[in-house]
């Protein structure tokens, strides 16, 4: 009787996952064995969970001492990559790492050969193009390096390694040359790099054209910042300079996708929102917010003091209130100071509250670096390193704008999004300083803030966090900011110098001598 077909044992089938016993063992050589064993030792020791009393290395075995990167590449990494390549000869990920390893070991010819092999397999490999450029730079072929980096950038416009290579090559050359014409050419080329990335990555309305991950948004901001810095060298490019700074800021105040055009806030709304936030924060029952402004913002119009943070936590959206107000808010603010934004003087302890007032939906974090939760309007907070990088870059842009408007004080200038011109009289610079300090506090920023305040003949009332009511003139408030900066860096020379000078100008010679002595002591200590 014939057995049923279903009951017949099937013959073993060949599997691509099985190793053919006739195939030579790629790990048979002592070099590959030692490389793999060294890597395994590294994994074992890196766990910090070794079993007490267990000895992982034979006592009569002395592991080789690896003195430098070249030896690590030659003895440990390359043998493994050679084996992997023999098993997967057309895997570009293996070839890419192998090219980098050859470069790190100083074998530039082999690195170039492998990178060109990658381009044969993948003609649009931006990584291989960039690596060829880096290797060309290492062998002194600077012009070819520049061309290869440009090719990589044209394939992938937000390839930050290519951007950095190009700018780090061009800008130092421009700064070092004494030939004015050659310097202009180099700066123009660097500006071409920035402009190319800007056009490819961001639309005219500020929306992203390419999917820039939130943790890389500060890199795109830096491109706009660098472009603006280069344009500042030419007085004819002032409007383009402002545009680049504005774009850099709008990138991080836009909420993450998906979003609506109603949430795409502009520089105009940022300026007004910072002022409103600070105005609400400093308000007291003695010095309340104007009833007219409260009504424009849709808030109760009485003289009761406003708890700004409680207001933000209750769902009040400063940006939306500013947008809905149209030109009424602008007119009301200008009426307070006569064709200029009023002076807004905050104590250092009040400055950190500004971001929470501006961005309550993201708990004071720049919304552009947050991630929208799936099927929800909730914004997920970014990792600390992403937040710090974006804060630092945004602060740098704000400080550049603050310095620009500080230099234009008492002049009538055009403000983004506002009709006509305004007298900026330090009021606009101070707004930018506040947000810059709140996002990334630093001794130099406290110092610059103090310099601006020390020249202001203006007095305002404040209630400290301890409930103390005090009147502050510009110089008195400058002293508070200098002191706050010294709490971060007690030996900062500019803060010590300016604080001493402020006391001297006020006739307080004893305090002036105290800070002069502190400066001399710090300078002496730095020489020891």
């Amino acid at each position: 009787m014939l057995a049923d077909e279903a009951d017949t044992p099937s013959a073993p089938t060949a599997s691509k996952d099985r190793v053919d016993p006739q195939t030579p063992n790629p790990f048979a050589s002592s070099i590959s064995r030692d490389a793999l064993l060294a890597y395994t030792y590294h994994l074992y020791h890196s766990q910090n969970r070794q079993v007490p009393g267990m000895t992982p290395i034979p006592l009569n075995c002395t592991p080789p001492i690896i003195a430098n990167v070249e030896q690590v590449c030659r003895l440990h990494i390359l043998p493994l990559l050679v084996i992997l390549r023999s098993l997967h000869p057309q895997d570009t990920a293996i070839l890419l790492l192998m090219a980098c390893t050859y470069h790190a070991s100083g074998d530039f010819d082999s690195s170039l050969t492998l990178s060109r092999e990658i381009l044969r397999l993948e003609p649009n490999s931006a990584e291989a193009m960039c690596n060829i450029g880096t290797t060309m730079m290492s062998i002194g072929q600077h012009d070819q390096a520049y061309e290869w980096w440009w090719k990589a950038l044209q394939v992938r416009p937000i390839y930050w390694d290519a951007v950095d290579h190009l700018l780090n090559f061009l800008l130092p050359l421009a700064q070092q040359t004494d030939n004015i014409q050659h310097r202009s050419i180099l700066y123009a080329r660097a500006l071409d790099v920035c402009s190319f990335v800007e056009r490819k990555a961001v639309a005219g309305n500020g929306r992203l054209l390419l999917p820039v991950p939130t943790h890389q948004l500060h890199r795109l901001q830096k491109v706009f910042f660098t472009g603006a810095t280069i344009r500042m060298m030419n007085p004819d490019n002032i409007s383009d300079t402002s545009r680049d700074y504005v774009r850099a800021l709008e990138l991080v105040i836009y909420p993450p996708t998906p979003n609506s055009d109603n949430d795409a806030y502009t520089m105009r709304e940022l300026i007004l929102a910072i002022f409103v936030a600070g105005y609400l924060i400093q308000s007291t029952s003695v010095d309340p917010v104007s009833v007219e402004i409260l009504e424009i913002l849709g808030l109760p119009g009485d003289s009761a003091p406003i708890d700004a943070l409680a207001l933000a936590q209750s769902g009040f959206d400063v940006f939306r209130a500013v947008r809905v107000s149209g030109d009424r808010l602008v007119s009301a603010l200008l009426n307070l100071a006569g064709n200029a934004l009023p002076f807004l003087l905050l104590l250092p302890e009040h400055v950190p509250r500004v971001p929470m007032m501006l961005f309550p939906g993201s708990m004071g974090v720049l919304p552009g670096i947050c991630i929208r939760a799936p099927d929800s309007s909730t914004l997920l907070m970014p990792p600390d390193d992403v937040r710090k990088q974006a804060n630092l870059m945004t602060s740098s842009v704000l400080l550049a704008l603050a310095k620009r408007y500080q230099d234009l004080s008492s002049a009538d200038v055009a403000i983004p999004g506002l009709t006509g011109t305004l007298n900026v009289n330090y009021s606009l610079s101070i707004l930018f300083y506040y947000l810059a300090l709140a996002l990334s506090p630093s001794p130099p920023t406290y110092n610059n803030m103090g310099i601006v305040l020390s020249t202001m003949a203006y007095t305002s009332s404040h209630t400290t966090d301890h409930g103390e009511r005090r009147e502050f003139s510009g110089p008195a408030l400058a002293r508070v900011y200098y002191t706050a900066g010294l709490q971060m860096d007690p030996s900062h020379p500019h803060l010590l110098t300016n604080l001493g000078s402020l006391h001297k100008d006020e006739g307080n010679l004893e305090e002036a001598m105290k800070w002069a002595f502190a400066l001399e002591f710090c300078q002496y200590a730095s020489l020891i």
Side-chain angles (χ1 to χ4, degrees):
M1 181 177 178
L2 294 175
D4 187 82
E5 184 173 307
D7 296 330
T8 304
S10 59
T13 58
S15 171
K16 64 179 180 180
D17 295 328
R18 295 180 181 177
V19 177
D20 187 343
Q22 302 302 319
T23 302
N25 181 0
F27 296 99
S29 71
S30 60
I31 294 178
S32 58
R33 177 204 64 196
D34 291 344
L36 187 58
L37 193 57
Y39 177 63
T40 308
Y41 282 145
H42 167 73
L43 292 178
Y44 179 83
H45 288 294
S46 66
Q47 299 305 307
N48 293 321
R49 298 170 65 181
Q50 302 163 30
V51 180
M54 299 298 291
T55 303
I57 302 176
L59 297 178
N60 62 351
C61 175
T62 303
I65 298 176
I66 305 300
N68 51 47
V69 173
E70 289 80 2
Q71 286 186 332
V72 172
C73 293
R74 181 168 50 84
L75 298 178
H76 288 176
I77 303 177
L78 277 175
L80 295 178
L81 290 174
V82 168
I83 293 170
L84 287 172
R85 187 189 182 190
S86 69
L87 299 173
H88 308 279
Q90 295 190 338
D91 190 310
T92 55
I94 296 172
L95 297 177
L96 196 66
L97 179 55
M98 205 169 182
C100 292
T101 305
Y102 274 123
H103 181 102
S105 67
D107 188 347
F108 300 131
D109 288 339
S110 295
S111 179
L112 288 172
T113 299
L114 283 170
S115 293
R116 292 191 173 105
E117 173 65 12
I118 294 171
L119 289 177
R120 186 186 66 80
L121 297 169
E122 294 183 9
N124 287 328
S125 172
E127 299 91 336
M129 295 175 187
C130 190
N131 288 347
I132 290 176
T134 302
T135 305
M136 287 294 182
M137 179 61 67
S138 297
I139 61 178
Q141 301 295 324
H142 297 176
D143 290 343
Q144 290 192 51
Y146 174 80
E147 291 175 4
W148 278 105
W149 287 331
W150 247 121
K151 289 180 181 179
L153 190 63
Q154 289 169 331
V155 171
R156 186 173 295 180
I158 53 172
Y159 186 10
W160 306 119
D161 283 350
V163 173
D164 289 344
H165 283 316
L166 286 165
L167 294 179
N168 291 338
F169 170 61
L170 293 167
L171 293 177
L173 287 178
Q175 294 161 359
Q176 294 164 10
T177 183
D178 294 327
N179 187 311
I180 296 177
Q181 183 178 4
H182 185 49
R183 183 188 306 144
S184 298
I185 292 173
L186 291 170
Y187 277 130
R189 289 180 178 177
L191 189 56
D192 286 343
V193 173
C194 297
S195 299
F196 175 79
V197 176
E198 293 167 10
R199 290 194 309 271
K200 294 293 184 179
V202 182
N205 61 359
R207 292 293 192 181
L208 289 175
L209 295 172
L210 297 174
V212 181
T214 55
H215 68 276
Q216 295 180 4
L217 206 56
H218 71 283
R219 306 291 298 270
L220 183 54
Q221 282 185 293
K222 186 177 180 180
V223 170
F224 280 101
F225 179 79
T226 303
T229 303
I230 297 172
R231 287 188 172 96
M232 280 287 288
M233 300 175 188
N234 185 348
D236 296 333
N237 288 333
I238 293 299
S239 60
D240 290 337
T241 299
S242 298
R243 181 203 64 201
D244 281 356
Y245 285 140
V246 167
R247 282 283 182 263
L249 293 176
E250 290 177 347
L251 284 172
V252 290
I253 65 173
Y254 284 7
T257 55
N259 51 34
S260 67
D261 290 338
N262 292 332
D263 295 328
Y265 296 116
T266 64
M267 185 66 176
R268 173 189 187 275
E269 288 147 348
L270 176 62
I271 292 172
L272 296 174
I274 297 173
F275 183 88
V276 169
Y279 197 21
L280 295 174
I281 289 170
Q282 75 163 14
S283 68
T284 64
S285 56
V286 178
D287 188 16
V289 176
S290 159
V291 172
E292 178 188 9
I293 291 178
L294 288 175
E295 291 176 348
I296 291 173
L297 295 173
L299 296 173
D302 55 41
S303 59
I306 294 176
D307 186 337
L309 291 184
L311 184 64
Q313 293 167 357
S314 70
F316 176 68
D317 189 327
V318 177
F319 276 98
R320 194 170 297 280
V322 165
R323 171 168 288 183
V324 171
S325 72
D327 291 332
R328 291 182 301 146
L329 178 61
V330 176
S331 299
L333 293 177
L334 296 183
N335 287 337
L336 293 177
N339 198 41
L341 286 175
F343 286 116
L344 182 65
L345 301 185
L346 297 179
L347 292 172
E349 60 208 59
H350 294 162
V351 169
R353 302 175 188 174
V354 172
M356 182 58 77
M357 281 293 300
L358 293 175
F359 315 116
S362 53
M363 300 177 63
V365 176
L366 294 166
I369 60 172
C370 297
I371 299 174
R372 196 176 298 279
D375 303 322
S376 171
S377 60
T378 304
L379 297 183
L380 303 179
M381 298 301 101
D384 282 346
D385 60 332
V386 173
R387 179 179 55 81
K388 289 177 181 177
Q389 289 170 335
N391 283 358
L392 180 59
M393 193 66 249
T394 304
S395 179
S396 298
V397 176
L398 289 164
L399 291 174
L401 277 171
K403 183 64 170 64
R404 177 171 178 248
Y405 287 114
Q406 184 178 332
D407 293 340
L408 295 172
S409 63
S410 300
D412 290 335
V413 297
I415 306 298
L418 298 181
T419 304
T421 60
L422 295 180
N423 188 299
V424 292
N425 67 7
Y426 288 148
S427 56
L428 193 55
S429 294
I430 290 175
L431 293 182
F432 293 138
Y433 275 125
Y434 287 146
L435 186 53
L437 265 177
L439 293 174
S440 187
S442 69
T445 306
Y446 278 109
N447 182 64
N448 291 342
M449 188 71 184
I451 291 173
V452 174
L453 292 170
S454 66
T455 63
M456 293 176 54
Y458 183 81
T459 302
S460 64
S461 300
H462 290 278
T463 301
T464 68
D465 281 350
H466 302 292
E468 181 184 1
R469 183 71 183 171
R470 294 180 59 186
E471 295 284 331
F472 285 94
S473 64
L477 198 55
R479 186 164 59 247
V480 177
Y481 274 88
Y482 288 144
T483 303
L486 287 171
Q487 290 175 354
M488 294 186 70
D489 182 1
S491 61
H492 194 279
H494 295 158
L495 286 167
L496 291 170
T497 300
N498 291 334
L499 184 54
S501 298
L502 195 60
H503 281 294
K504 181 180 178 181
D505 293 342
E506 294 175 342
N508 194 342
L509 298 182
E510 184 176 346
E511 282 293 313
M513 290 294 293
K514 168 187 169 183
W515 293 109
F517 176 76
L519 176 61
E520 290 180 5
F521 176 80
C522 291
Q523 291 173 335
Y524 173 76
S526 66
L527 298 175
I528 298 177

